[in-house]
Amino acid sequence: MHSPANYHDYTEPTGTTDGVMTPPQDDSEDLQQIDDMTVYKLTRELQDNEANKRSLIGSKLPLSVLANEYVDPSFKNKIESMASNGLYYRPIRGDGNCAWRAVLYGLLDLIGSNKEQCQLMKSLLQNYHTMILDEAGFEKIAYEDFIDSFYEILDSLIAQGPQYIESNSFLENTELQNGSIVCLRFITSAYIKTHSDSYEPFLEGESIDSYCARNIEAFSVEADHLSLAALVSALAVVSLHISYIDGSNTESETIHILNPDYYVDQTDFGSIKLLYRPGHYDLLLDP
Amino acid sequence: MQKSSTASRRLLKEYKQLLTDTPDGISAGPIDENNMFEWECIIQGPDGTPYEGGVFPAILKFPSDYPLNPPTMKFTTPLFHPNVYQDGTVCISILHPPGDDPHMYETAAERWSPIQSVEKILLSVMSMLSEPNPESGANIDACKMFRDDLPGFKAVVRTNIRQSLGL
């Protein structure tokens, strides 16, 4: 199951004009001269520039704002029907890490106002999750910095309370967020490797190690459904509630609920809600 | 972009680990210990290959978000090899994240991810010298010669080595 880094598949809703790439001018003679490496570098730069124009984690907005961006009724109607339930969303940057970043923020949002839960999450990372990493054979030098990034966020959340994750020192902190995303990726990979019997049948012949290396451990590769199911079980403290919106004729969104195999020490912080549109995840929030 | 402290911390740890436990035929470290983002490494050509007896210096440049993204590696003396561009830039799968590579190979070869390390790159380069991969070539002339005229290929490599050693 080869899933390429399809992190630029996120299509702008019809009706918006920002973020539209300008087609290159037709210099077909010049284009024939440039080699694969140059084409690749230019494409990569263009994609990165487009992604970097968006916030890592955008402001909390009513879902009706998103519905208004759509003209296509199949999308618009579904989002409007969700908006009527008073849901909010936070747009997440489409850089290939959106599902991971949305889950990171969703988790911090669930526990942010409860210091005990933040402490508990810290101690689980230190004991339970680190144990899975060790069991799966991850080298300490490869993972310790990323666990530290997650700790640092949790420490600030404990010290400053829920306003920390509303502040720019968190929202614009690429290094801490991305480090914590790698931490989530690694524990997900480690969980799959230590529960290979449950995951192998879904990999269509690809080895567990290859699947994890290509789809999970590598930064900026978009999460597929299997990765998210494994993430939930690896965290073992939350469930995921994913609303799928697509161009089909149905009136309402399709909902998938992912529960962990078990909750570690009966710790259930609640449910993280994600909004999926083809190629992209955003975070859904209650008012 | 600001150099991240996570990146320099990680590079320092890797450097220390390499100092205590260096694989055979390899040495590597920062050129200036105040800048962890640029290393020089020296690779000895593996025995029993056309590169035997050669000593190949290269520069590793690390991105500010290392190890989320891989470094680039460029040999600074001529190295005639199917997987090394004429300017010395190394093109092997471990230096590319999945889905992120100009040759789009569909092989299961190891790609870059944050679990990789400088040591793993250098070991991959050693095996690149032992087993060139002409299917995903960076130097087309070297690919063709390696496939069609192995004695000629070896002669070019040997000449380059003698020149770089000043013989």
Side-chain angles (χ1 to χ4, degrees):
Chain A
M1 179 166 58
H2 174 60
S3 83
N6 54 346
Y7 44 97
H8 306 294
D9 286 2
Y10 167 53
T11 36
E12 289 296 321
T14 330
T16 54
T17 49
D18 64 340
V20 174
M21 299 184 193
T22 330
Q25 303 208 329
D26 186 23
D27 289 326
S28 38
E29 258 182 49
D30 286 353
L31 283 178
Q32 282 172 3
Q33 313 257 334
I34 59 180
D35 64 12
D36 291 350
M37 193 69 166
T38 316
V39 171
Y40 152 74
K41 272 187 188 155
L42 290 172
T43 313
R44 185 64 207 246
E45 267 171 36
L46 185 63
Q47 289 167 339
D48 286 350
N49 287 342
E50 289 307 312
N52 289 342
K53 284 181 193 161
R54 298 177 166 272
S55 307
L56 294 170
I57 299 169
S59 318
K60 184 173 174 179
L61 298 165
L63 210 47
S64 54
V65 173
L66 184 64
N68 287 338
E69 288 184 14
Y70 277 95
V71 177
D72 181 347
S74 49
F75 282 89
K76 193 179 182 72
N77 294 347
K78 287 175 199 136
I79 300 173
E80 272 175 350
S81 111
M82 291 172 68
S84 65
N85 299 326
L87 280 175
Y88 282 67
Y89 83 112
R90 276 184 185 272
I92 307 292
R93 184 186 284 179
D95 63 354
N97 296 301
C98 54
W100 302 94
R101 201 178 304 279
V103 168
L104 172 67
Y105 192 93
L107 173 62
L108 299 172
D109 186 61
L110 283 176
I111 63 177
S113 49
N114 184 328
K115 285 191 181 10
E116 279 172 21
Q117 288 187 338
C118 295
Q119 289 287 6
L120 182 55
M121 187 64 218
K122 259 189 83 177
S123 86
L124 286 174
L125 274 177
Q126 197 160 21
N127 301 304
Y128 178 72
H129 298 107
T130 303
M131 183 189 76
I132 302 177
L133 288 168
D134 291 335
E135 205 181 314
F138 276 74
E139 289 174 65
K140 193 164 183 278
I141 190 174
Y143 71 69
E144 60 188 356
D145 293 335
F146 303 119
I147 298 257
D148 284 349
S149 296
F150 209 152
Y151 276 173
E152 204 175 321
I153 289 176
L154 290 167
D155 281 336
S156 301
L157 195 52
I158 291 164
Q160 298 175 36
Q163 62 266 31
Y164 169 65
I165 54 169
E166 304 287 337
S167 71
N168 286 344
S169 60
F170 172 73
L171 290 172
E172 290 175 7
N173 197 326
T174 312
E175 194 177 331
L176 276 189
Q177 284 187 31
N178 289 354
S180 306
I181 285 169
V182 175
C183 176
L184 293 180
R185 286 178 175 276
F186 280 9
I187 61 177
T188 303
S189 167
Y191 189 85
I192 292 178
K193 288 176 180 175
T194 51
H195 296 76
S196 52
D197 289 352
S198 315
Y199 293 93
E200 214 148 29
F202 298 101
L203 301 186
E204 296 169 7
E206 187 174 13
S207 74
I208 291 272
D209 283 350
S210 161
Y211 173 79
C212 289
R214 294 161 80 100
N215 295 283
I216 299 180
E217 291 156 14
F219 195 67
S220 291
V221 177
E222 199 64 81
D224 58 17
H225 195 77
L226 191 67
S227 313
L228 288 180
L231 167 61
V232 168
S233 284
L235 281 173
V237 290
V238 288
S239 58
L240 271 188
H241 184 287
I242 310 174
S243 300
Y244 286 85
I245 299 279
D246 58 20
S248 68
N249 290 326
T250 51
E251 275 302 304
S252 53
E253 78 276 21
T254 311
I255 292 172
H256 283 274
I257 294 172
L258 296 173
N259 291 308
D261 293 341
Y262 50 84
Y263 287 94
V264 58
D265 301 337
Q266 283 87 48
T267 309
D268 182 0
F269 293 146
S271 188
I272 298 169
K273 296 191 187 72
L274 302 183
L275 172 67
Y276 178 82
R277 289 171 288 157
H280 186 71
Y281 287 90
D282 291 306
L283 181 65
L284 287 174
L285 293 160
D286 291 322
Chain B
M1 206 189 294
Q2 217 189 342
K3 298 287 186 191
S4 97
S5 56
T6 312
S8 44
R9 212 164 45 229
R10 163 75 173 253
L11 285 165
L12 184 62
K13 277 189 247 179
E14 287 197 39
Y15 175 44
K16 284 183 180 162
Q17 196 169 340
L18 274 171
L19 282 177
T20 54
D21 182 19
T22 313
D24 286 346
I26 291 173
S27 73
I31 296 168
D32 167 0
E33 291 202 4
N34 294 315
N35 174 17
M36 293 309 286
F37 291 86
E38 199 164 317
W39 289 26
E40 184 176 49
C41 57
I42 292 167
I43 294 188
Q44 289 175 16
D47 290 349
T49 73
Y51 302 96
E52 181 174 352
V55 175
F56 306 99
I59 301 289
L60 282 164
K61 282 190 179 162
F62 297 91
S64 60
D65 62 357
Y66 180 83
L68 305 191
N69 280 296
T72 56
M73 182 170 176
K74 192 172 177 175
F75 284 102
T76 52
T77 57
L79 179 57
F80 190 67
H81 188 288
N83 308 112
V84 178
Y85 283 95
Q86 281 183 339
D87 72 351
T89 304
V90 180
C91 183
I92 52 174
S93 63
I94 196 174
L95 292 171
H96 296 287
D100 214 41
D101 119 32
H103 295 287
M104 295 298 166
Y105 2 58
E106 288 294 314
T107 66
E110 240 182 338
R111 299 308 186 87
W112 181 260
S113 88
I115 65 164
Q116 306 292 8
S117 60
V118 177
E119 181 181 350
K120 287 177 184 154
I121 292 171
L122 297 178
L123 291 172
S124 294
V125 170
M126 289 293 266
S127 54
M128 174 196 86
L129 292 176
S130 305
E131 293 167 49
N133 175 7
E135 298 310 312
S136 62
N139 182 335
I140 303 300
D141 294 338
C143 287
K144 279 187 192 150
M145 266 187 115
F146 181 76
R147 263 195 309 246
D148 305 335
D149 177 15
L150 198 55
F153 175 84
K154 284 180 182 166
V156 176
V157 171
R158 303 305 300 170
T159 307
N160 282 348
I161 291 175
R162 275 195 298 275
Q163 278 170 355
S164 66
L165 294 175
L167 299 176

